[in-house]
Structures are given as structure tokens and as C-alpha cells.
Amino acid sequence: MKLVRFGHPGEERPGLIDQKGEIRDLSGHIGDIDPAVLDDASLNKLRALKEDELPLVQEHVRLGCCVTGVGKIICIGLNYLDHVKEAGMQVPEEPVVFMKATSALTGPNDNIILPRNASRVDWEAELAVIIGKKGKYIEEANALEHVAGYAVFNDISERHFQLDRGGQWVKGKSADSFAPLGPWLVTRDEIADPSDLAIWQEIDGNRFQDSHTGQMIFKVPLLISYLSRFMSLHPGDVIATGTPPGVGMGMAPPVYLRAGNKVELGIEGLGRQSHYTVEDD
């Protein structure tokens, strides 16, 4: 299934994408796409519904962040070898882990807001894993059983705040709109192998990132198992699995986002996002 949330910000309703690519309203069956419906039993109940009997959403609607009630956004840094090289960093022996504020979450076509005093806003296309089953000390062999689904994620980053202002990376990662998620939550049964997906990103029609999730240093099952050693994972948690090469910081000279840029990205089987960049008020 492809699960969506649609409507004005703060007024989103749950839906699914039918076989024709149209939105069907699920609000007669569930309150939202939230942690309460991400376990296998709840998802199976939704699969059992007859799509053509669900209300068709006729009008053009905004898509919101594809899941709500996210407890934490856990990000993995330096997880593609070529990205490590372009960043001038050492290849990590263990996953590099940092957090991103949940208030940064936004819809897949909403504007990306450039913070005040920002000078080096960058892009990072990533595969997001949405947890559906609580766990800790999860065995790698069983890790995918804890996944509700996958989505496109853009880890927008203000490099000056991230790298030059001291401390950890979180303050360069957490501005409002810096975590677009969606368009859909694609349930795990539709993705045979999360390590076998094309991933890309374009700025103003120029392709900067063009890679494949098979290039990850640490694969999805390992990441889930690894993270669960240090914190419990809960339904609705989002794991952003790292970005491939082609970020603005790695260009010679570097290229950063400015107001008026069009930002587009996508992952095979998971849909695409499209944003414009705007200055903060």
C-alpha cells in the first residue's frame, strides 16, 4: 500500500493511493496515519478494504508529511562511500548517528524555508525507514519485521550552522521545513529489498545526486539492529539512512540553495518530491 495524508497543514486526513494513482479517503476507517496504525495487524486491516468502495478525493489537494506522531528522527551520517570522500571525512567504522527535530517535518511539495542568517543550505536525498513495531536489542536477521514502510526524505542542512557553530550537528539540521517526508509511506511488502533502489536529486533541473541505495556502507537491517542497542525504537520513528554523493558542499566550488530554487528528488518505487525555496519571514 501507499499511504498518504492530504489536506491543509494541521488538517490532514488519511488516505491511500489506489491502482490508478488516485487518492482514496481512509478517514472513515482510521483517524490518521500515525503510530496506532503502523503495526502489521492494523496495516492488514487496511489492505483488506476494497479500494473502489473508499471515497475518491476528487479535488487537487496538498499532500502532508506521510506519517504523523513521529517520536524521533534518527539520522545516519556518512553512509555512502563516495559521499564520505566528497565531504573529506574518514570512512566510519560504525554508523554515525545524529538527531533531527520533529518540528522540521513538512510535506513532500511544501516550500523549503531558508532560515535567517543562513548562507550554506544544502540538500541530501535519503531513504527513510518508518518503524511499525516497538523493539530494542533487535537481531539484524529480524530487523525488517519492525518496519512499517519506506519513504523519500530530504535531509536539508545549513552547513554553517552544522559545522562552524560548535557542538553537534543538530542545529544545522532542524530548522522548520528541513525534513520533507513523503509523498507516501510505502508499506514494506511493496519493497523487496531497500538496498536495491535508485535515488536522485535535481536543483533547477540539474541532476546533482544520481545513485543507488545498494551503495550504502551500512544496510537497513544493520542500522535498525545497531540503533536498537542504544535506544528503543517505537512505531512512527523515522530513520534517515544517509545520502549519496552530489551534495552542494561537495561541489567545486560548493553550490548552495538560494531563494527561488526548485528542488526535486525521488526514490524508485517511493515517489518524488518537488519544492521551492523561500526566505523565512
Side-chain angles (χ1 to χ4, degrees):
M1 288 184 298
K2 295 180 175 67
L3 300 175
V4 297
R5 300 176 64 249
F6 63 94
H8 298 297
E11 301 176 1
E12 293 93 345
R13 290 185 287 168
L16 61 77
I17 303 297
D18 67 16
Q19 296 300 313
K20 296 180 180 179
E22 297 181 299
I23 300 174
R24 297 284 178 161
D25 192 339
L26 284 173
S27 57
H29 297 271
I30 57 173
D32 212 333
I33 308 299
D34 62 16
V37 302
L38 296 179
D39 62 281
D40 286 348
S42 297
L43 292 176
N44 284 335
K45 288 180 181 179
L46 295 180
R47 287 189 188 93
L49 298 174
K50 295 181 179 179
E51 288 183 353
D52 58 0
E53 295 181 0
L54 296 170
L56 179 65
V57 179
Q58 300 282 0
E59 72 274 19
H60 177 74
V61 292
R62 166 189 173 269
L63 295 182
C65 176
C66 64
V67 63
T68 191
V70 174
K72 49 187 175 286
I73 305 172
I74 313 163
C75 301
I76 306 300
L78 306 173
N79 198 25
Y80 287 72
L81 182 59
D82 287 349
H83 175 55
V84 174
K85 292 178 180 177
E86 73 177 355
M89 307 267 190
Q90 295 292 319
V91 176
E93 295 183 3
E94 297 187 34
V96 176
V97 180
F98 62 95
M99 308 292 278
K100 209 171 166 85
T102 57
S103 55
L105 287 165
T106 192
N109 302 305
D110 292 342
N111 289 336
I112 293 170
I113 303 169
L114 306 179
R116 294 178 185 178
N117 302 314
S119 59
R120 293 158 56 191
V121 179
D122 208 343
W123 57 85
E124 297 188 18
E126 305 201 11
L127 169 68
V129 178
I130 295 97
I131 296 298
K133 176 183 175 183
K134 182 180 177 181
K136 59 181 180 178
Y137 308 117
I138 298 167
E139 295 293 334
E140 187 174 343
N142 304 323
L144 295 186
E145 297 175 7
H146 291 261
V147 174
Y150 306 94
V152 180
F153 186 84
N154 204 358
D155 178 20
I156 303 296
S157 308
E158 212 300 334
R159 301 299 189 190
H160 174 57
F161 297 173
Q162 176 191 357
L163 300 173
D164 302 334
R165 299 288 297 271
Q168 298 179 351
W169 292 357
V170 66
K171 62 177 170 276
K173 300 281 189 172
S174 294
D176 292 351
S177 80
F178 270 26
L181 181 66
W184 317 305
L185 186 161
V186 180
T187 53
R188 75 170 189 270
D189 58 299
E190 292 204 12
I191 302 300
D193 183 357
S195 297
D196 189 23
L197 305 173
I199 180 171
W200 59 273
Q201 182 146 205
E202 296 179 351
I203 311 299
D204 294 334
N206 299 306
R207 184 156 294 201
F208 283 83
Q209 293 187 285
D210 194 357
S211 189
H212 194 276
T213 58
Q215 299 301 314
M216 286 184 190
I217 298 169
F218 305 108
K219 310 299 186 187
V220 169
L222 185 149
L223 291 175
I224 293 169
S225 177
Y226 181 85
L227 292 170
S228 75
R229 302 175 200 172
F230 305 102
M231 64 192 86
S232 59
L233 299 178
H234 293 258
D237 286 348
V238 174
I239 303 172
T241 57
T243 198
V247 301
M249 181 177 64
M251 301 292 106
V255 178
Y256 296 112
L257 295 173
R258 298 288 182 263
N261 289 139
K262 186 175 185 179
V263 179
E264 298 175 282
L265 62 151
I267 299 177
E268 180 182 359
L270 302 182
R272 60 186 292 159
Q273 300 182 2
S274 181
H275 311 271
Y276 285 98
T277 52
V278 299
E279 299 282 358
D280 203 354
D281 295 334

